[in-house]
Amino acid sequence: MIKLLLTFTLVVTLDCQAQKVDSLALTPPMGWNTFNTFAGNFNEKLIREMADLLVSSGMKDAGYAYVIVDDNWTGPRDSLGFLTVDANRFPSGLKDLSEYIHSRGLKLGLYSDAGYKTCGGYTASRGHEFQDALVFARLGADYLKYDWCNTEGINAPGAYATMRDALRAAKRPMVFSMCEWGNNKPWLWGAGIGHLWRTTGDITACWNCIDDHGGKYNSYGVMQILEKQEGLRAYAGPGHWNDPDMLEVGNGTLTVNESRAHFTLWCMLAAPLIAGNDLRTMSKATLEILTNKEAIAIDQDSLGIQGFRQTQPDSLEIWYKPLQGGDWAVCFFNRGSKAATIRHDWRKDVIRDDVTMSELNCVRRTYVLRDLWKKKRIDTTANTLVSTIAPHDVLMLRLEK
Ligand code: GLA
């Protein structure tokens, strides 16, 4: 009897520890992060400005909730081993900034790493996971991005589960973003540990380049990252998302068309939408892309189904995403370098989603076509769709029942 009781207690205890705090990311998280534009060049003043701009630009209203302070914010440990905040960047301390962010109706994201040092060489959490989680909680963090630099010889599921348990023990619900670049196939083991996991190395702000950083590591353009999402859609869903990395909309060499296509494809992928541009200088076009609520509604659809691609000849791809209530999102994507004219007969093929067993059948039902970038109804699926798409651009539609 005692043995039975002990086993029961042990199972219950382990089971409690094995849960991440759920229901925090039932749709893909949205926010803004320091890294893509600023890397280590930020301080409390800049982050306050970004928080203000998220509100005044309308981005907060569109759903961008987390202000994420990426690498380079930690100071040395104090005499008791607690993490301190880099006093040069945060002369008033991070708690003040956190309160300010919360007072603006936003949430705070912080960053650490499973090694002793972050990628930027700053203090990280190895061996101090439970202590650090307490510090994140005291600072009022609502989100933790946990990186994978300097982790040679560490077991990835174990390291991420340790921080998950530490966050749980700190008793402040935080979205847990696992940033191990897909090295250990986190889609196979991450759902019970984190709310999102990076599927690739870092994105960089170009359409189709690979940046080799002097042979040390690679970062990848938008098309390179897109290709690496193949085969992963079955692993994503409410509370556990594939993360193809943050947005480069409005950054680097991306044209407006390319930024729009990048954003649209991330919405079709049900990807986290974490902007990474300088909000002080963004163009009207960039803001319009980032705040297109109809496109965002595709990303944030409550079914949480990651879209899929049917490759077509001549660089034209068609992407499909089943939506709540029987609607579908459909994206025609021109990968080519010349404008492409599509003639699409909706009634010719029945589209089957083998993962969710849903079906788009335009013979059985006629849908209204809503163009999500023009923001108007354009036709129905009873007629052949004829449209010309600029190079590296998209036609993004919602098929309404
Ligand atoms: C890694 C991550 C990036 C960013 C940097 C910070 O490269 O993948 O997203 O957090 O570290 O140094």
Side-chain angles (χ1 to χ4, degrees):
M1 182 64 188
I2 289 180
K3 201 173 159 201
L4 195 73
L5 205 66
L6 279 177
T7 315
F8 177 74
T9 317
L10 189 67
V11 168
V12 169
T13 315
L14 287 177
D15 191 52
C16 287
Q17 283 183 348
Q19 299 298 311
K20 67 186 183 194
V21 177
D22 235 328
S23 77
L24 284 178
L26 294 178
T27 60
M30 293 177 66
W32 180 89
N33 175 303
T34 47
F35 181 68
N36 279 0
T37 295
F38 298 101
N41 299 316
F42 61 81
N43 57 24
E44 61 183 37
K45 182 170 165 285
L46 181 109
I47 295 168
R48 269 177 189 246
E49 266 181 282
M50 293 301 153
D52 288 341
L53 282 161
L54 279 171
V55 177
S56 62
S57 66
M59 284 178 70
K60 173 181 166 261
D61 282 348
Y64 296 84
Y66 295 97
V67 178
I68 303 164
V69 184
D70 207 285
D71 199 352
N72 299 298
W73 69 267
T74 51
R77 295 193 178 277
D78 69 13
S79 59
L80 296 176
F82 284 101
L83 201 53
T84 64
V85 173
D86 178 16
N88 293 326
R89 286 193 173 80
F90 301 97
S92 334
L94 238 172
K95 186 73 182 153
D96 265 24
L97 182 64
S98 168
E99 278 165 16
Y100 186 70
I101 287 170
H102 287 116
S103 76
R104 309 268 16 218
L106 296 160
K107 296 174 180 171
L108 172 69
L110 292 177
Y111 162 102
S112 189
D113 184 290
Y116 294 118
K117 295 267 180 230
T118 69
C119 299
Y122 283 70
T123 315
S125 297
R126 185 165 184 191
H128 288 267
E129 292 84 354
F130 282 71
Q131 234 179 344
D132 287 2
L134 276 182
V135 170
F136 306 147
R138 279 187 206 144
L139 290 172
D142 307 289
Y143 184 112
L144 177 70
K145 172 173 170 182
Y146 202 47
D147 214 340
W148 194 238
C149 276
N150 308 308
T151 55
E152 289 70 24
I154 306 182
N155 170 277
Y160 281 92
T162 301
M163 184 48 90
R164 171 205 58 196
D165 293 347
L167 292 177
R168 195 180 168 88
K171 295 201 163 41
R172 182 175 171 95
M174 284 178 228
V175 170
F176 188 29
S177 159
M178 299 163 43
C179 180
E180 69 73 81
W181 319 310
N183 287 6
N184 297 278
K185 298 192 168 65
W187 44 90
L188 297 179
W189 46 267
I193 298 179
H195 300 93
L196 57 157
W197 50 79
R198 281 273 296 279
T199 54
T200 69
D202 290 0
I203 196 168
T204 190
C206 68
W207 183 244
N208 197 14
C209 68
I210 297 182
D211 201 348
D212 77 357
H213 300 276
K216 284 195 226 127
Y217 66 99
N218 290 343
S219 49
Y220 304 93
V222 174
M223 287 301 96
Q224 298 281 329
I225 297 266
L226 184 69
E227 285 320 298
K228 297 178 195 294
Q229 308 314 309
E230 200 63 43
L232 302 185
R233 63 184 292 260
Y235 300 104
H240 50 99
W241 307 101
N242 287 315
D243 176 7
D245 205 2
M246 301 177 284
L247 296 167
E248 292 285 16
V249 170
N251 284 350
T253 59
L254 293 182
T255 64
V256 172
N257 295 3
E258 289 170 348
S259 279
R260 179 168 43 240
H262 167 31
F263 190 75
T264 299
L265 289 160
W266 264 230
C267 291
M268 295 300 288
L269 289 170
L273 298 178
I274 310 293
N277 56 316
D278 188 343
L279 306 180
R280 298 169 303 184
T281 54
M282 77 179 139
S283 67
K284 194 163 167 277
T286 294
L287 179 63
E288 271 170 21
I289 292 170
L290 290 172
T291 55
N292 181 334
K293 290 187 181 171
E294 295 191 52
I296 291 171
I298 302 302
D299 179 76
Q300 297 286 302
D301 182 78
S302 60
L303 286 186
I305 299 172
Q306 182 169 329
F308 59 97
R309 163 170 69 182
Q310 282 207 330
T311 304
Q312 298 285 301
D314 302 327
S315 301
L316 192 76
E317 295 178 1
I318 311 182
W319 287 74
Y320 296 90
K321 184 180 195 291
L323 303 174
Q324 206 274 328
D327 287 4
W328 283 71
V330 180
C331 166
F332 294 86
F333 170 37
N334 179 9
R335 273 183 104 120
S337 49
K338 293 195 186 108
T341 297
I342 48 164
R343 281 187 185 73
H344 185 73
D345 181 356
W346 297 99
R347 296 154 62 96
K348 201 162 149 268
D349 297 309
V350 173
I351 304 302
R352 290 203 176 81
D353 174 2
D354 295 337
V355 169
T356 63
M357 298 301 166
S358 33
E359 189 176 281
L360 174 63
N361 185 332
C362 298
V363 174
R364 229 184 267 151
R365 176 186 284 280
T366 299
Y367 296 80
V368 170
L369 301 181
R370 187 163 172 87
D371 181 328
L372 301 189
W373 289 108
K374 292 212 174 96
K375 301 180 182 166
K376 63 176 193 200
R377 293 186 168 186
I378 53 169
D379 203 346
T380 74
T381 53
N383 302 315
T384 296
L385 173 73
V386 181
S387 180
T388 299
I389 306 175
H392 302 178
D393 206 345
V394 287
L395 172 65
M396 185 189 201
L397 302 172
R398 184 176 187 117
L399 271 55
E400 296 173 336
K401 262 172 76 182

